[in-house]
């Protein structure tokens, strides 16, 4: 690993990487602070900007957006009582009361310090856990990769939201869409003679349509509605918490960070769950649990450390096994794919310079996020008050341009437009869109490895399914799949219990 | 039957209809076995889930589930969608920048924004940003029609 560090550092010290890092951190913060825009949509929207960049700088930028957006969400949660992302909903409970008490800057300072520590710890976890896990992937064959893709598909259940059947339908729809184009055996299917469909439905335009174009349509419903201008508090107080206060908060920040990393690694559980779990840990360990919700620093530090720690944790299964544990990670995986990078051991061997550059850069992004937050956090609230009519055409233009820039093909713009309508209708009727993306990525992967596995199995006169039972690693993955099917029920019960206990607040829509 | 359940029923039927339509393709003589088996596996799953949603909607017909969607709610989003379609069509005829100059203010005005200076500044700023980033830096050749 150390041998790869010098190459990674030289990648990291390029102008491209520095620009990517800065754009990622600032852009992520702005996206996070805007209620209604999440890290998922931000990454989908900004992937096209990375086309001309070096892969290291591109992935670094996307990873920086991820962590920064989670932090950015806390700023609007604290200042205007509106969580910028679902991960910041728990922060509202104590953040806004602190603002009302005239301690807005102090609250942002605590959120910044906690988010940075959570992010830094998760970066170290990524650096230490991912490489050995990736080495394990060397032992995988077609059947294991097939089962990994099926394992990834089981996450659909956890992304399904309230209605499990609709979530599964969304996933199955993604699989159906993934059928279009060239099959694993080289045959075209469902192209209906349209040349533009022969390469299949492109992932990036589909994602942009599902997340961004549909969001433009949903936000257009704000037309004519008089929106009360959120009251922005006066900016008073000290940004950096005093040493005594910081040392008092440190144990809970560290504990929540570690918990956050593990929640991130768990498929399907994301920053929103982590923040509630973190808040609950802080409450259980506090000598004054009754003070939570009245505006106390622990109520901010715990969820913020936990939700930022999730980001590095979520990158571990993504980079090593190709399992996107959340919708944001799924979109990030799309970013890896378009830069020709496939998750697994190769990322830590052949492309080690790029991967370690991204990991080290991710660590730097978390630190830079704190510095930018310190310098500009208070002004980000202005961003959250940008009028929607000015924002919508910008998102629409960037979405369609992004779809076009992917392959410089106008067909991809049509794909984005069609998927925009699909995404809008899905969201309107309570069908989640994240499973579509997950299935769109993993479906063709499952198809390919099932085909390859069948050929290998036929040489031993076995069916593919019989062949899988001859491999211990495959059996391990089968057990994992069964376990994963029950995980969402457990995580949903935990999340519900925590949010009920702490009192929920209407979170920004998870897109 | 409650309206939310009717919505789910329609979704279930549409899912099954799409699945069955796509299944017929796998019955063609030129479809290979490998292709056929994976496609049918996916389609069976899709049709099956559509069937489950349909049955649940019928069985629990009187209990509301989810949000009731009224046709009125579609008005603004559909007009926005038509604007987007018009923008894409204009893009291919007039070129990216010309179409954007028309589209951006049109959306702002439609959304009820009437302050001319921010309207012009946001349009010009956004297009300048796109020009510098995509055309100058990334060398992306944007769609050009009869104008630019």
């Amino acid at each position: 690993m150390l041998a790869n560090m010098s190459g990674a550092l030289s990648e990291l010290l390029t102008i491209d990487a520095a620009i990517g890092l800065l754009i990622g951190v600032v852009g992520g913060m702005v996206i996070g602070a805007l209620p209604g825009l999440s890290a998922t949509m931000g990454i989908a929207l900004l992937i096209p900007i990375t086309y001309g960049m070096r892969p290291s700088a591109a992935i670094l930028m996307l990873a920086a957006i991820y962590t920064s957006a989670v932090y950015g969400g806390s700023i609007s949660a604290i200042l205007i009582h509106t969580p910028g992302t679902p991960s910041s909903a728990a922060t509202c409970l104590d953040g806004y009361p602190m603002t009302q008490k005239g301690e807005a800057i102090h609250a942002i300072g605590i959120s910044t310090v906690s988010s940075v520590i959570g992010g830094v710890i998760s970066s170290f976890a990524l650096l230490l856990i991912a490489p050995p896990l990736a080495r394990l992937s060397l032992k995988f064959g077609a059947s294991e990769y097939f089962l990994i893709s099926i394992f990834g598909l089981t996450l659909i259940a956890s992304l399904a939201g309230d209605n499990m059947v609709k979530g599964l339908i969304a996933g199955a729809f993604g699989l159906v869409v993934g059928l279009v184009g060239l099959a694993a055996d080289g045959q075209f299917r469902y192209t209906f003679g349209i040349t533009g469909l022969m390469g299949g439905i492109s992932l990036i335009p589909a994602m942009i349509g599902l997340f961004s174009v549909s969001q433009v349509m949903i936000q257009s419903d704000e037309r004519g509605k008089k929106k009360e201008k959120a009251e922005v508090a006066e900016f008073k107080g000290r940004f950096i918490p005093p040493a005594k206060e910081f040392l008092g908060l440190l144990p809970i920040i560290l504990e929540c960070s570690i918990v956050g990393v593990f929640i991130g690694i768990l498929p399907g559980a994301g920053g929103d769950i982590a923040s509630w779990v973190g808040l609950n840990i802080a409450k259980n360990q506090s000598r004054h649990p009754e003070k939570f919700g009245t505006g106390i620093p622990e109520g901010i530090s715990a969820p913020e450390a936990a939700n930022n720690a999730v980001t590095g944790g979520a990158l571990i299964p993504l980079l090593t096994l190709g399992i996107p544990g959340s919708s944001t990670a799924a979109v990030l995986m799309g970013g890896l794919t378009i830069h020709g990078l496939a998750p697994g051991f190769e990322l830590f061997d052949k492309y080690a310079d790029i991967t370690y550059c991204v990991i080290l850069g991710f660590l730097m992004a978390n630190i830079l996020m704190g510095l930018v937050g310190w310098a500009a956090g208070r002004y980000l609230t202005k961003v959250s008050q940008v009028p929607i009519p000015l924002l919508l055409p910008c998102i629409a233009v960037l979405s369609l341009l992004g779809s076009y820039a992917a392959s410089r093909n106008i067909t991809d713009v049509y794909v984005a437009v069609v998927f925009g309508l699909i995404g809008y209708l899905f969201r309107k009727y309570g069908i989640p869109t994240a499973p579509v993306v997950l299935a769109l990525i993993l479906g063709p992967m499952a198809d390919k490895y099932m085909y390859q596995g069948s050929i290998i199995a036929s040489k031993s006169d076995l069916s593919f399914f019989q062949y899988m039972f001859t491999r211990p690693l495959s059996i391990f993955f089968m057990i994992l799949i069964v376990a994963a099917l029950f995980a969402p029920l457990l995580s949903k019960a935990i999340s519900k219990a925590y949010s009920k206990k702490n009192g929920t607040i209407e979170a920004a829509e998870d897109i | 039957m409650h309206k939310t359940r009717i919505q789910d029923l329609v979704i279930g039927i549409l899912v099954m209809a799409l699945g069955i339509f796509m299944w017929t393709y796998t019955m063609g003589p030129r479809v290979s076995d490998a292709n056929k088996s994976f496609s049918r596996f996916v389609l069976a799953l899709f049709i099956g889930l559509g069937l489950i949603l349909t049955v649940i909607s019928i069985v629990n017909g009187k209990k509301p589930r989810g949000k009731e969607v009224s046709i009125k709610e579609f008005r603004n989003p559909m007009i926005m969608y038509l604007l987007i379609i018009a923008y894409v069509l204009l893009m291919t005829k007039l070129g990216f920048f010309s179409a954007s100059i028309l589209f951006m203010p049109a959306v702002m005005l439609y959304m009820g924004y009437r302050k001319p200076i921010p309207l012009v500044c946001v349009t010009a700023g956004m297009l300048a940003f796109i020009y510098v980033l995509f055309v100058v830096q990334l060398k992306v050749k944007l769609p050009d029609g009869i104008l630019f």
Side-chain angles (χ1 to χ4, degrees), chain A residues 75 79 105 108 232 235 237 239 373-382:
Chain A
I75 295 174
L79 294 178
I105 290 293
I108 294 178
V232 181
F235 297 108
F239 186 89
W374 172 60
R378 64 189 74 186
Y379 306 111
L380 273 179
T381 183
K382 301 266 182 222

Side-chain angles (χ1 to χ4, degrees), chain B residues 27-90:
Chain B
M27 297 194 286
R30 286 187 297 171
V31 183
S32 69
D33 284 345
N35 189 344
K36 202 180 282 183
S37 58
F38 187 75
S39 303
R40 283 190 175 176
F41 166 71
V42 168
L43 291 170
L45 187 73
F46 193 53
I47 295 167
L49 287 165
L51 184 66
I52 291 172
L53 187 64
T54 307
V55 171
I56 291 174
S57 314
I58 294 168
V59 173
N60 298 326
K62 286 182 181 163
K63 287 184 212 160
R65 165 105 205 197
K67 204 180 136 216
E68 198 177 309
V69 181
S70 80
I71 293 294
K72 277 184 197 164
E73 292 172 44
F74 288 101
R75 192 178 166 269
N76 288 330
M78 284 305 143
I79 292 175
M80 179 60 78
Y81 193 63
L82 290 176
L83 280 171
I84 290 172
I85 291 176
Y87 173 47
V88 173
L89 294 176
L90 277 177

